[in-house]
Each structure stands twice: as structure tokens, then as C-alpha cells.
């Protein structure tokens, strides 16, 4: 079959692959993207919360720094993308309200608030009455909450459409096919053979295939990314005009130990998510998943059951062993990774694109991305073997 050559070949056309290709092309690299349906994947399911502060977890302070840096870059990133393409990507600075529905939830939320304050993050504790003053449709039993004005949102579907357009304007070539095997010669990645039998050669290959990144044949075992799929089911409801405004900001809570969030869009869509299920490659929407999301959302905002159900979807988050992304050069010359973003793929798009473009140009990651080198897992494995 015929072949094609580029400076950079990005395997995967989701948000991370597209932003990497766009930034690489802006650096002057002849860039190509290999994906059967660019703009598909997890971006079609994600809610688009840019919640660096609200989603702070114990033990993730290094990741917090990367999340905050990417959130800081988002306004300029959106402005550049919008000016270039004319696409409205649904960026909203409306903030987040995390609420507690019982005493245990309240105690957990208080601990999160303390951790946020210790980390130098801005959040405000509100009483239940103050929460309902902000969002009148909240359940009467809300016991308190955290107002985080710095956590914003974006529409991932609009974002990927804008990134496809930006890539096209930058001269990125799209190969609408799947990757079958990484080609390696003389200890260096040289390209990819596609499922259709085409050989795509490149000076550098970026593996950005989300949860599929760990399944590409031909990648040596010692550099194969340790990424697994984590299933998430999400609902989309429609807010009729007579109910608007239903919610003015993202509202989230822990209900029965599970996270639930409601993300209102300006176009009248309300995204409700998300389950977190370790079920391998299953992407079935289940009655149980839909029921649990609606049940938990109803406890948070009782009026939600009056809204029309517009869509149910399930997607796969790419999760690494430490819930942080794998970015930059690997132990195989010519192969870089941009995967393993777990729940932060949309949030980390700006900083990931910048970091990979820098690595492609210089061979090294910028300072803010260095803790997330893929080599950290190889080093940990060698340390365990020698212990």
C-alpha cells in the first residue's frame, strides 16, 4: 500500500491528540493525525468541568499544580482558538457549587475545604441557606457547601470541533483510519501501519489514543503506557424555556459515596454525570447506571425529574496507576506519549498541547510537565525490583 511521511504523526484524534497536533503544526512541523473519526472518543461524553479546585484529591498535589497551570492558560487558549476558527466553544466562568446532603457529607466537604485552604486555593464555605439562595432549586436538606468561582466549564463537543478546524487551518493531514502497529527500526519509532495496510512514516510519533494507548501492537513492553479504561455513564437533559434558568452554575455532591454533578449549558442542555466503573472495555449504557444518576441528581435537585431526557452515553476515561497523565518522550527514541489524563483530559488540554510541542521541538519537557514523564513508572518498577 502507499505510504505517507510527516515530521510528527499523532495517533489519536481526541482532544489531547488534536491539541498536540495543532501546537506541533504551529511550531512548523509537518503534522498528521491518525484516527478513524477525529473529534470522537471521550470528548463526546465528557461534561467539560474545568474544576482544578473542586476536584482536589489527597495525595495529588503535584497534579494540582499542573491542573492549575492549565486552568490559568484556558482563557487565552479559548480566545486564540475562537479568533482562529470562529467557533464558540461554550467557555463559561460561572463557577462551581459543591454541596453536602447529610452530616457525613458535610464533614467530608469541610475536610476538602481545609485541604483547599492549606493548598492556597480560593473557596468559600456557605450554609445550606446560602447555597439555596444561589441555586433556589436545590433540595431543602442541603446542609452546606463550597462556592468555587475559579472553577469554570467548557463544552467538549464544541471544543473538539474547533480543534479539528484549527488543525485543518494549520495544515495538519488527517488519516481517517485506525492504527494497527507501531513500526520500529534500529531502536527507533519510525511510524505506524494502519488497519487498511497503509504505512505512515514520521520522524516522531505521539501516542495519544486515550484508553486505547496501551493496546497498540509493536510498542515495546518496557515503554507501553500503563493505561486502563474506566467507564463513565452520562445523561443529557433538556431544560425547557419555562424552567430557565434551572441552574446558574455547576452543582456537584457526593451521594451515597458516589460523585454526581449537574452542568448547565447556555444552550439549555443539562449534563448529569458520571458513574465510575472498572468494567474493562464495556461501553454499554445500563438501566442501573441511568437510574443511579437520576436518583442521586433528584436528591440534589428534585425538579430534575420534570426535564426531558435527551441522551444517554457511556465513554472510557484513560486512567494511569497514579491518576496523572503520561507526557513526553519515552525510553524508545522517536516515541512520545500524551495519554492517561483520567478525569482531567479536557482541563489539561492547553498545558498538554504546549508541553508536547516543546518536547517535540527540544526533546525535553518544560518544567511544569517534568513530573509526568512516562519514565516515572519504569523507574518505579526498577526500584521495586532492586528492593
Amino acid at each position: 500500500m502507499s505510504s505517507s511521511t510527516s515530521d510528527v504523526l499523532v495517533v489519536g484524534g481526541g482532544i489531547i491528540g488534536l491539541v498536540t497536533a495543532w501546537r506541533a503544526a504551529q511550531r512548523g512541523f509537518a503534522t498528521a493525525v491518525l484516527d478513524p473519526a477525529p473529534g470522537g472518543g471521550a470528548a463526546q461524553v465528557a461534561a467539560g468541568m474545568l474544576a482544578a479546585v473542586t476536584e482536589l484529591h489527597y495525595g495529588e498535589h503535584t497534579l494540582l499544580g499542573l491542573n492549575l497551570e492549565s486552568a490559568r492558560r484556558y482563557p487565552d487558549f479559548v480566545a486564540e482558538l475562537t479568533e482562529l476558527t470562529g467557533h464558540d466553544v461554550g467557555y463559561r466562568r460561572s463557577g462551581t457549587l459543591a454541596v453536602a446532603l447529610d452530616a457525613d457529607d458535610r464533614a467530608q466537604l469541610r475536610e476538602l475545604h481545609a485541604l483547599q485552604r492549606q493548598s492556597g486555593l480560593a473557596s468559600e464555605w456557605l450554609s445550606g441557606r446560602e447555597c439555596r439562595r444561589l441555586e433556589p432549586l436545590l433540595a431543602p436538606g442541603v446542609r452546606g457547601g463550597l462556592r468555587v468561582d475559579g472553577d469554570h466549564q467548557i463544552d467538549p463537543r464544541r471544543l473538539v470541533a474547533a480543534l479539528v478546524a484549527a488543525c485543518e487551518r494549520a495544515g495538519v493531514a488527517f488519516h481517517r483510519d485506525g492504527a494497527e502497529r507501531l513500526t520500529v527500526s534500529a531502536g527507533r519509532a519510525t511510524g505506524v501501519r494502519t488497519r487498511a495496510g497503509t504505512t505512515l512514516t514520521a520522524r516522531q510519533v505521539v501516542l495519544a489514543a486515550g484508553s486505547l494507548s496501551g493496546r497498540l501492537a509493536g510498542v515495546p513492553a518496557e515503554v507501553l503506557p500503563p493505561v486502563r479504561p474506566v467507564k463513565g455513564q452520562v445523561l443529557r437533559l433538556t431544560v425547557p424555556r419555562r424552567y430557565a434558568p434551572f441552574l446558574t452554575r455547576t452543582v456537584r455532591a457526593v451521594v451515597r459515596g458516589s460523585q454526581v454533578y449537574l452542568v448547565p449549558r447556555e444552550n439549555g442542555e443539562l449534563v448529569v454525570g458520571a458513574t465510575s466503573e472498572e468494567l474493562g472495555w464495556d461501553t454499554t449504557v445500563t438501566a442501573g447506571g441511568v437510574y443511579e444518576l437520576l436518583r442521586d441528581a433528584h436528591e440534589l435537585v428534585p425538579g430534575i425529574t420534570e426535564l426531558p431526557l435527551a441522551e444517554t452515553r457511556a465513554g472510557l476515561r484513560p486512567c494511569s496507576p497514579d491518576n496523572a497523565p503520561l507526557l513526553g518522550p519515552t525510553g524508545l527514541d522517536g516515541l512520545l506519549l500524551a495519554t492517561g489524563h483520567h478525569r482531567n483530559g479536557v482541563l489539561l488540554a492547553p498545558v498538554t498541547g504546549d508541553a508536547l510541542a516543546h518536547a517535540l521541538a527540544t526533546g525535553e519537557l518544560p518544567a511544569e510537565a517534568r513530573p509526568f514523564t512516562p519514565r516515572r513508572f519504569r523507574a518505579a518498577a526498577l526500584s521495586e525490583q532492586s528492593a
Side-chain angles (χ1 to χ4, degrees):
M1 297 289 288
S2 61
S3 64
S4 177
T5 301
S6 55
D7 295 329
V8 174
L9 174 62
V10 180
V11 181
I15 284 179
I16 296 301
L18 291 170
V19 73
T20 297
W22 179 38
R23 292 307 196 197
Q26 287 181 319
R27 291 267 186 144
F29 291 108
T31 305
V33 170
L34 175 62
D35 192 287
Q44 296 299 314
V45 183
M49 294 179 295
L50 309 177
V53 178
T54 310
E55 292 204 352
L56 174 63
H57 286 67
Y58 287 100
E60 294 186 1
H61 281 83
T62 304
L63 179 58
L64 170 65
L66 192 69
N67 288 344
L68 289 172
E69 178 57 28
S70 201
R72 186 188 66 79
R73 298 182 189 189
Y74 237 104
D76 289 343
F77 172 72
V78 167
E80 180 185 0
L81 197 54
T82 301
E83 182 178 358
L84 179 68
T85 67
H87 285 243
D88 177 0
V89 296
Y91 180 60
R92 295 183 64 191
R93 303 171 185 256
S94 49
T96 295
L97 182 65
V99 302
L101 292 170
D102 60 31
D104 289 342
D105 296 340
R106 189 176 185 276
Q108 184 177 340
L109 207 56
R110 280 288 196 184
E111 289 180 5
L112 174 60
H113 187 220
L115 180 62
Q116 291 169 341
R117 297 295 293 272
Q118 291 167 12
S119 304
L121 305 175
S123 64
E124 179 186 2
W125 180 262
L126 303 179
S127 67
R129 181 176 296 177
E130 288 170 327
C131 290
R132 288 187 294 276
R133 190 175 299 140
L134 283 179
E135 299 294 345
L137 293 181
L138 284 173
V142 166
R143 304 288 293 272
L146 288 176
R147 176 178 177 172
V148 181
D149 290 339
D151 280 354
H152 302 155
Q153 63 155 286
I154 200 165
D155 187 333
R157 294 179 176 181
R158 294 184 181 186
L159 177 59
V160 289
L163 285 169
V164 168
C167 284
E168 291 173 342
R169 283 177 173 266
V172 174
F174 284 96
H175 301 282
R176 286 173 167 79
D177 196 357
E180 182 178 274
R181 172 174 288 272
L182 180 76
T183 57
V184 179
S185 178
R188 181 178 181 85
T190 57
V192 170
R193 188 172 73 235
T194 75
R195 292 173 189 163
T198 302
T199 299
L200 304 177
T201 60
R203 292 181 176 86
Q204 299 185 85
V205 177
V206 179
L207 183 49
S211 56
L212 291 169
S213 297
R215 302 187 90 186
L216 181 60
V219 179
E222 64 271 17
V223 297
L224 194 67
V227 174
R228 72 183 192 281
V230 177
K231 177 180 176 181
Q233 299 187 53
V234 172
L235 315 177
R236 283 176 167 79
L237 310 176
T238 301
V239 180
R241 288 186 178 181
R242 66 181 181 276
Y243 289 128
F246 192 79
L247 294 173
T248 63
R249 74 203 69 223
T250 297
V251 174
R252 56 191 303 157
V254 176
V255 182
R256 298 184 183 86
S258 297
Q259 293 276 352
V260 63
Y261 53 73
L262 289 76
V263 184
R265 304 261 193 252
E266 288 183 332
N267 63 0
E269 181 180 76
L270 182 67
V271 183
V272 181
T275 64
S276 184
E277 306 166 65
E278 299 273 0
L279 292 173
W281 300 96
D282 174 58
T283 55
T284 305
V285 176
T286 65
V290 173
Y291 166 73
E292 289 172 8
L293 287 173
L294 287 175
R295 178 197 64 194
D296 294 350
H298 172 72
E299 289 202 21
L300 189 59
V301 181
I304 200 170
T305 53
E306 301 298 321
L307 303 181
L309 178 60
E311 182 183 89
T312 59
R313 292 285 291 267
L316 300 173
R317 309 174 185 91
C319 187
S320 73
D322 61 3
N323 295 334
L326 292 83
L327 305 176
T330 67
L332 177 65
D333 286 346
L335 179 66
L336 297 84
L337 299 183
T339 187
H341 291 72
H342 194 208
R343 62 182 183 272
N344 294 310
V346 179
L347 170 61
L348 289 174
V351 78
T352 296
D354 293 344
L356 265 294
H358 186 277
L360 288 164
T362 68
E364 297 181 351
L365 287 167
E368 65 273 10
R370 285 175 196 156
F372 306 96
T373 169
R375 297 187 175 108
R376 70 187 187 273
F377 293 113
R378 179 66 175 160
L382 292 173
S383 177
E384 289 177 4
Q385 291 173 10
S386 63

